[in-house]
Amino acid sequence: MRFLLFLIYFFFVNAGVAQTFLLSGKITDDKNEALSFASVLVKGTNMGTNANADGYYTLRLQQGTYQIIFQYVGYKKKTETIVINGNVTHNTNLSPESYELKEVVIKDGEDPAYAVIRQAIKKRKQYLNEVEAYSCKAYIKGLQRLKSYPEKMAKLINKITGPGNQIDSSLLGVIYLSESESNYNFRKPDEEKEIMYSSRVSGDNKAFSFNQVSDLKFNVYENLVSLNNLSDRPFISPINQNAFLSYRYKLLGTTFEDGKMINKILVTPKRKTDPCFTGIIYIQENTWRVHSVDIFITKDAKIKFVDTLKFKQLNSPVNDTLWMQTGFNMMFNFKIMGFEGDGYFNVVFSEYNMHPVFPKNFFKNEVLVIEEGSNKKDSAYWKAARPVPLTVEEKTDYVKKDSIAIIQNSDRYKDSLDKKGNKFRSSDLILGYSYTKTKRGFSLLTSGILNSGLQYNTVEGVNASLNINMEKDYDDHRKHVISGSARYGFSNYLWSGTGSWQYLNNPKKFESFRLKVGSTATQFTGEEGINSTVNSAYTLLINDNYMKLYKKTYASLAYRRELINGLVFNFNTEYAERSALRNTADYVWIDNKNKQFTSNNPLKPNTDDSSFSMNNAFIVEAGFSIRFKQQYYTKPNEKVITGSKYPVINILYTKAIAGLNTKADYDLIRMSISDRIRLGLVGKFSYRIKAGYFLSSKYMEFMDYKHFEGNQTIYLSTDYLNSYKLLPYYTYSTNRWYMEAHAEHHFNGFIFNKIPLLKKTRMQEVVGGHALFNDKLNQYYEVNFGIEKIFQILRIDYVLGYGPGTQFRQGVVASLGLRF
C-alpha cells in the first residue's frame, strides 16, 4: 500500500513539473575562431545566456520549438529554429557584419556620424528615464590571471614573509575565479537592491564573491559613466549632452538588422588624457537607440590598477517598447611593478520583469543582501544552475584549488604551516615576531627594532617602545584584541606602559567594548599632537622641541553600538591621575647657538616652572553619530557601510565630575558636520565644520582645554581636513568656545590634464580653505594650494595664513601616503 501511494505521489509531482533539456554548442566566426561571450537569446522571451571565453554556451529549455537568436557585437545576428525533444548540441557560426559606406556627403566639413550622434543625444534623456522600475536575474563570473612576476622582487618578498606566503610559479594562471547569482531590483529615481542567493569562490568556501551588479552597471545614456574605484573621475559618455567638446566621430558604415538600419560609428577622444572612451558605438536609425557598444579606455585616461579596460554591451528589446542590456562583458589587463596579468567579468541578465510590484519598505537603505548559506552551494548545484559553461581553464582551477583547500583547511596542514611560520628568525629582531595558531583563529605580533618606536624628545630623551598585540577571531566575525606596550625614557628614567582589551561583540551592530589602563607620557593635545618622528627630527636637527608632555596614569572604559541604521551611540569614561614632567635632555645633532629649547610648560615656554600640580580627573563622555539614509550591505554576521548622500553629524557631551578625590569640573558640548560631495568631472569637494562650547569651567587644567590640530613643521602628519598647516600648537587653546571650518576640493586632474607638460603625469591639483574662531582670536584663516599624487605618494602644499593682528603667514608643507 505504501509503495502504491509512493507511485501515485511520484506521478503527480512529476506531472506538474515540466522537464527541461540542455541546448549547448559553440559559437564561432567564419574562420572557426571562438566568439567569446557571444549572446544567446530565446526570441519572444526574457530567457538568454552568454557564451564563455571559449565560445561555448548552454541553455536549459522545456520541450518545444524555439527561435534562438545568436548575437555578437559587430557580427550579423542569426536566428535559427531549434526543436527541443531532448538534449541538443547545436554549433553555429556568425559572419562579420558588412557595413556599407555609400556615397558619404560631407556637409560643411562634417562627417555624417555627427548627425546621428546629435539625434542620439536628443533621445538620451528619454531612454535614460523611460524605465520606471524593473527586476531581473543576474549571473556574474569574474576571473583574474597572473601571467608573469618579477623574480628578484619575489625572492625579496619571500625572505621577508616566510613560509605560507611565497611568490613562485605556482601562482601563475588563475588567481581569482568566482561566480554569483543575484536578483537585482530597481525603481526610479535611484533605488536599488540586490539579493545574492548563490556565490562561489574558487578554493575558498567561506568567502563571498566580489561580483555585484551595482559595480558592473554600465549605461552610456548617463552623461557621466562612473567606474567606481577604478578612476578618481567619471568618464564622459559618447552621447553626453556636451560630447562634441570631447569626442570625434566617424561613420564606418551602415547595415540592416530585423529591417532596421544600424549605424556603426567610431568614437575617439579629442585629447588623449581626457576621461573618454575609444571604440565603436552602434546606433539604430530613426529610433536613435544605442544598439550595442564595443569601447575601451587606457591608462592614458588615468585609470587605476589596470592598463586597458574594455567594455562590450549588447542591448535587446524585452517587450514591444523597452530595451535592456542582455549581455555585458568587461575585460582588462594590468602591469604593476613587474606583475602582469589580465581578466574579465562576464554578466548575463535574464528574466526581466518590467512591471514588478515591490513590498512596502522593500528598498529602504539596504542595497545588497548576501543570503545566509549562499556560499554553501555544491558543485552539483552550480553545474545545473550556471547559464555560462566553464572553460577548461576554469574547470581545472576549481578542481585544483578546491582540492588544495581541503588540505589547507585540515588541522594537520594548519599546524604544520604554523610550526614553520612560528619559528624565530634573526630578521624577527628587526621586523618583529609573529605567532599564529590558525585553526584557533589566534595571532600574536610583537614589534622589532625597526618599528620599536625609537624616538627622542627633551622630556624623556631617547625613548623606545615594545608593543605586543594578540587577536582571537571567530567565524561569525566577533573578535577579541589584547594589546600592550612598554616604553622607557633613558633620560628621565621613566617607565611607561599601556594595556587594553577590546571585544567586537556584534559586527552587524558595530557593538564593541574597550577597557584600557596605562601610565604614560602623554601630549597635552591628546592623540592629535605632533608626530613623534617629526618632533625627534626637529629637536635633534633644528633645535625646536615642539612636543609637550605630562604623565597620565589612567583607566578607561568605552562602549559603541549602532542603535538603528545610521545612528551610533558612543560612551567613554576615564579616571586619571595627571602630573607634570620637566625637560631632562638637551642633546642635539646640530647645535644652533641662536636657539634654546623651550620648557615643557606650554603656557610658559621660557620658564622651567611646572605648569600644574598633580591632580585627578573623572571624565564621562557620551555622544551620537548620525547619518540619514545611510546605505549598506548585509552579509552573514556582518554589515558594511557604503555611504549616504547626506552628511555625517556628530554630537558629543563631556562632563568632568568633581569629588572622589578629583578636581576637574567642567561641561563641554561639541558638534561637527562633514561630508564628501562628488562633482563629476570637476572632482570632489569635502568639508568639516566643528563647534564647541564649555557650559561650565569651574576647574580645568591645560590638558582639559580644547586644543587645535596645528602645525609648525614642514611635514604634516595629521588629516588635512581636520588641521591647520601654520597654526601654533598651543597658542590659541581655549576653555570657552570655538568654531572650526575646513574645506578641500580635489580636482582629480581636471586642470592639469589641460596643460601639455603636466597631463602626462598622474599628479593632481587640490585647494583648501580653513578658518578658526574662538575667544582667544577674532579670526584665523588659511588657504592652501597643493599638488598630490607626486610619484603616487607625495603631496606638497603652499599655504597662506591670515591671523590675529592682520598678520600674514606663508609656508610649504608636505605629506607622504600611498594615494591611488
Side-chain angles (χ1 to χ4, degrees):
M1 183 63 180
R2 289 182 179 178
F3 180 70
L4 179 61
L5 289 173
F6 171 78
L7 288 177
I8 295 172
Y9 171 79
F10 181 82
F11 173 78
F12 279 107
V13 167
N14 284 274
V17 178
Q19 188 174 2
T20 61
F21 300 98
L22 192 67
L23 170 64
S24 61
K26 186 175 183 180
I27 306 171
T28 59
D29 61 14
D30 52 10
K31 296 180 181 179
N32 209 33
E33 295 289 334
L35 293 178
S36 302
F37 314 116
S39 294
V40 183
L41 302 172
V42 181
K43 189 173 183 178
T45 74
N46 286 327
M47 293 187 295
T49 187
N50 288 353
N52 65 18
D54 293 336
Y56 289 98
Y57 74 93
T58 58
L59 190 62
R60 291 194 174 274
L61 297 169
Q62 296 177 8
Q63 184 176 359
T65 301
Y66 297 91
Q67 298 288 307
I68 305 298
I69 302 170
F70 298 93
Q71 282 183 284
Y72 191 74
V73 176
Y75 283 69
K76 291 180 181 179
K77 181 170 75 172
K78 180 184 284 188
T79 303
E80 299 187 76
T81 300
I82 299 178
V83 178
I84 304 295
N85 287 319
N87 293 338
V88 175
T89 299
H90 182 86
N91 300 322
T92 190
N93 61 73
L94 304 180
S95 301
E97 191 65 80
S98 55
Y99 288 89
E100 296 183 6
L101 191 60
K102 296 183 179 179
E103 298 180 9
V104 177
V105 179
I106 304 296
K107 186 178 180 181
D108 298 327
E110 183 180 83
D111 190 279
Y114 285 82
V116 177
I117 294 295
R118 284 193 186 91
Q119 295 298 329
I121 291 173
K122 288 180 181 178
K123 286 283 191 176
R124 184 190 65 82
K125 280 190 178 181
Q126 176 186 331
Y127 293 142
L128 177 64
N129 298 310
E130 68 179 348
V131 176
E132 295 290 332
Y134 72 90
S135 62
C136 69
K137 182 178 177 179
Y139 165 83
I140 305 174
K141 183 195 294 180
L143 179 143
Q144 286 92 52
R145 301 183 191 90
L146 182 64
K147 292 187 171 182
S148 65
Y149 63 89
E151 293 187 7
K152 290 183 178 179
M153 182 183 291
K155 289 179 181 178
L156 178 62
I157 294 174
N158 291 343
K159 286 182 180 180
I160 295 173
T161 58
N165 299 289
Q166 299 292 291
I167 297 177
D168 53 37
S169 59
S170 65
L171 291 179
L172 295 178
V174 177
I175 56 175
Y176 176 77
L177 170 62
S178 72
E179 299 174 275
S180 67
E181 291 180 300
S182 301
N183 288 319
Y184 180 76
N185 306 276
F186 170 83
R187 183 171 66 190
K188 285 176 59 176
D190 56 4
E191 294 179 305
E192 60 180 351
K193 185 172 184 177
E194 182 178 354
I195 302 173
M196 186 183 294
Y197 56 88
S198 56
S199 169
R200 186 180 186 186
V201 178
S202 180
D204 192 345
N205 62 2
K206 293 183 178 181
F208 297 98
S209 171
F210 292 120
N211 307 339
Q212 294 173 23
V213 175
S214 56
D215 288 340
L216 295 169
K217 288 180 68 178
F218 186 84
N219 190 349
V220 294
Y221 290 125
E222 296 278 1
N223 261 326
L224 299 174
V225 180
S226 175
L227 297 181
N228 297 317
N229 296 323
L230 291 175
S231 176
D232 289 326
R233 54 187 181 168
F235 281 73
I236 301 169
S237 167
I239 56 172
N240 178 288
Q241 61 185 5
N242 297 311
F244 293 123
L245 297 175
S246 304
Y247 283 101
R248 293 187 179 93
Y249 302 92
K250 182 179 180 180
L251 181 64
L252 299 181
T254 60
T255 190
F256 284 85
E257 182 180 283
D258 298 332
K260 301 283 187 179
M261 189 168 79
I262 306 295
N263 297 280
K264 181 181 182 181
I265 297 173
L266 174 67
V267 300
T268 54
K270 285 188 173 180
R271 291 163 293 275
K272 199 174 182 180
T273 54
D274 276 1
C276 294
F277 299 96
T278 300
I280 309 295
I281 183 170
Y282 300 85
I283 297 176
Q284 192 179 74
E285 188 79 8
N286 296 323
T287 64
W288 314 114
R289 285 186 180 276
V290 175
H291 171 278
S292 52
V293 296
D294 186 359
I295 54 182
F296 66 91
I297 51 178
T298 67
K299 61 182 179 181
D300 290 331
K302 310 292 177 65
I303 52 177
K304 303 176 184 178
F305 310 118
V306 297
D307 292 339
T308 304
L309 199 57
K310 300 178 181 179
F311 305 91
K312 283 191 177 183
Q313 182 185 52
L314 179 65
N315 301 316
S316 303
V318 293
N319 57 33
D320 294 337
T321 58
L322 298 175
W323 287 43
M324 301 293 291
Q325 66 173 334
T326 49
F328 176 72
N329 181 256
M330 182 175 75
M331 294 172 284
F332 57 88
N333 58 63
F334 62 87
K335 185 176 181 180
I336 304 174
M337 299 177 67
F339 292 87
E340 293 186 53
D342 61 13
Y344 67 80
F345 285 92
N346 186 22
V347 188
V348 178
F349 296 98
S350 61
E351 300 181 21
Y352 276 101
N353 179 1
M354 305 310 296
H355 303 284
V357 178
F358 298 114
K360 186 178 180 181
N361 297 325
F362 174 75
F363 287 99
K364 278 194 168 182
N365 302 302
E366 189 179 38
V367 295
L368 172 66
V369 180
I370 300 179
E371 291 186 339
E372 186 81 36
S374 59
N375 60 344
K376 304 302 180 187
K377 309 290 178 66
D378 59 18
S379 57
Y381 168 86
W382 281 103
K383 184 177 181 180
R386 70 167 58 92
V388 179
L390 297 175
T391 64
V392 173
E393 179 185 43
E394 292 160 356
K395 289 178 181 177
T396 302
D397 188 70
Y398 270 132
V399 172
K400 175 185 173 182
K401 288 183 180 173
D402 288 350
S403 299
I404 292 174
I406 293 173
I407 298 172
Q408 291 180 338
N409 288 328
S410 67
D411 289 348
R412 182 178 179 181
Y413 178 85
K414 291 177 181 178
D415 289 341
S416 174
L417 196 65
D418 289 343
K419 186 177 181 180
K420 291 181 180 179
N422 293 338
K423 285 183 178 179
F424 187 83
R425 298 179 292 273
S426 58
S427 61
D428 293 336
L429 289 172
I430 300 172
L431 301 174
Y433 172 71
S434 63
Y435 175 89
T436 305
K437 201 69 176 176
T438 306
K439 68 182 181 182
R440 295 181 181 176
F442 175 79
S443 63
L444 178 147
L445 181 66
T446 66
S447 59
I449 296 174
L450 193 64
N451 54 358
S452 65
L454 188 66
Q455 307 292 347
Y456 178 78
N457 61 65
T458 54
V459 173
E460 300 170 289
V462 175
N463 58 88
S465 301
L466 175 66
N467 303 304
I468 184 169
N469 185 84
M470 294 179 286
E471 188 169 314
K472 166 66 177 176
D473 297 313
Y474 299 90
D475 290 340
D476 59 2
H477 294 278
R478 291 180 301 116
K479 71 166 62 175
H480 292 275
V481 178
I482 298 176
S483 301
S485 68
R487 172 171 158 179
Y488 182 70
F490 288 89
S491 180
N492 67 348
Y493 312 110
L494 177 67
W495 278 102
S496 302
T498 62
S500 69
W501 164 73
Q502 185 169 354
Y503 176 45
L504 178 60
N505 176 55
N506 186 345
K508 276 195 171 182
K509 289 292 185 180
F510 309 106
E511 184 179 44
S512 64
F513 303 86
R514 189 191 69 194
L515 177 64
K516 190 173 184 179
V517 296
S519 180
T520 184
T522 304
Q523 295 193 53
F524 283 90
T525 55
E527 296 180 356
E528 303 106 1
I530 183 173
N531 178 271
S532 297
T533 302
V534 174
N535 180 75
S536 298
Y538 266 75
T539 303
L540 291 167
L541 301 174
I542 307 178
N543 302 177
D544 285 324
N545 58 325
Y546 292 120
M547 182 180 288
K548 308 302 174 187
L549 302 167
Y550 72 97
K551 183 181 178 183
K552 182 169 80 166
T553 303
Y554 66 95
S556 67
L557 176 67
Y559 175 75
R560 182 175 187 263
R561 178 184 170 89
E562 184 179 57
L563 304 179
I564 59 174
N565 181 51
L567 178 63
V568 177
F569 172 69
N570 294 285
F571 175 82
N572 183 65
T573 182
E574 178 183 274
Y575 188 93
E577 176 189 89
R578 294 95 62 94
S579 57
L581 296 172
R582 286 186 170 87
N583 288 342
T584 62
D586 58 4
Y587 176 74
V588 295
W589 288 348
I590 300 176
D591 189 5
N592 186 339
K593 301 299 183 181
N594 297 320
K595 277 188 179 181
Q596 290 186 338
F597 285 140
T598 57
S599 75
N600 191 49
N601 184 345
L603 294 174
K604 297 178 180 180
N606 297 318
T607 70
D608 198 34
D609 296 337
S610 176
S611 58
F612 64 95
S613 58
M614 188 173 67
N615 66 89
N616 298 331
F618 179 52
I619 299 171
V620 178
E621 291 184 336
F624 295 93
S625 176
I626 307 165
R627 192 160 200 183
F628 299 104
K629 294 191 175 181
Q630 174 181 267
Q631 294 187 329
Y632 60 94
Y633 299 163
T634 300
K635 298 181 179 181
N637 304 310
E638 190 178 6
K639 179 178 180 179
V640 181
I641 305 301
T642 61
S644 169
K645 60 183 179 181
Y646 295 98
V648 177
I649 300 171
N650 288 294
I651 301 172
L652 183 64
Y653 175 70
T654 304
K655 172 66 177 176
I657 303 173
L660 300 175
N661 198 30
T662 60
K663 286 187 177 181
D665 188 357
Y666 63 89
D667 297 81
L668 169 63
I669 187 166
R670 287 173 279 178
M671 182 176 178
S672 69
I673 182 170
S674 61
D675 200 6
R676 184 176 67 175
I677 304 168
R678 295 189 179 274
L679 299 175
L681 296 174
V682 183
K684 58 187 178 185
F685 174 75
S686 302
Y687 70 88
R688 180 175 289 126
I689 300 172
K690 303 192 292 185
Y693 183 75
F694 285 88
L695 302 175
S696 69
S697 54
K698 296 178 181 178
Y699 185 91
M700 298 180 66
E701 294 292 354
F702 190 62
M703 71 283 293
D704 298 318
Y705 282 42
K706 167 58 184 176
H707 304 284
F708 305 100
E709 292 191 42
N711 181 62
Q712 293 174 254
T713 71
I714 195 171
Y715 182 78
L716 188 70
S717 58
T718 54
D719 180 10
Y720 273 83
L721 202 62
N722 209 38
S723 62
Y724 301 93
K725 288 65 185 166
L726 303 177
L727 186 74
Y729 294 108
Y730 300 107
T731 305
Y732 302 111
S733 301
T734 181
N735 64 347
R736 298 280 298 280
W737 63 272
Y738 68 92
M739 188 176 78
E740 298 180 63
H742 305 270
E744 276 199 340
H745 185 79
H746 298 259
F747 286 92
N748 294 341
F750 180 75
I751 298 174
F752 282 5
N753 283 335
K754 296 171 176 60
I755 301 174
L757 293 178
L758 294 176
K759 67 182 182 180
K760 292 183 179 180
T761 72
R762 289 183 173 267
M763 295 189 300
Q764 297 180 358
E765 60 282 19
V766 57
V767 298
H770 311 267
L772 173 62
F773 308 92
N774 67 19
D775 60 293
K776 296 289 183 69
L777 74 172
N778 292 328
Q779 57 189 4
Y780 177 79
Y781 303 101
E782 285 183 355
V783 179
N784 57 287
F785 306 89
I787 300 175
E788 59 184 349
K789 295 193 175 181
I790 304 171
F791 309 116
Q792 293 296 319
I793 63 171
L794 178 63
R795 171 174 168 173
I796 298 176
D797 284 77
Y798 172 69
V799 188
L800 283 171
Y802 179 77
T806 64
Q807 294 180 354
F808 281 97
R809 304 177 184 183
Q810 62 178 337
V812 175
V813 295
S815 66
L816 291 173
L818 195 59
R819 296 177 175 89
F820 289 107

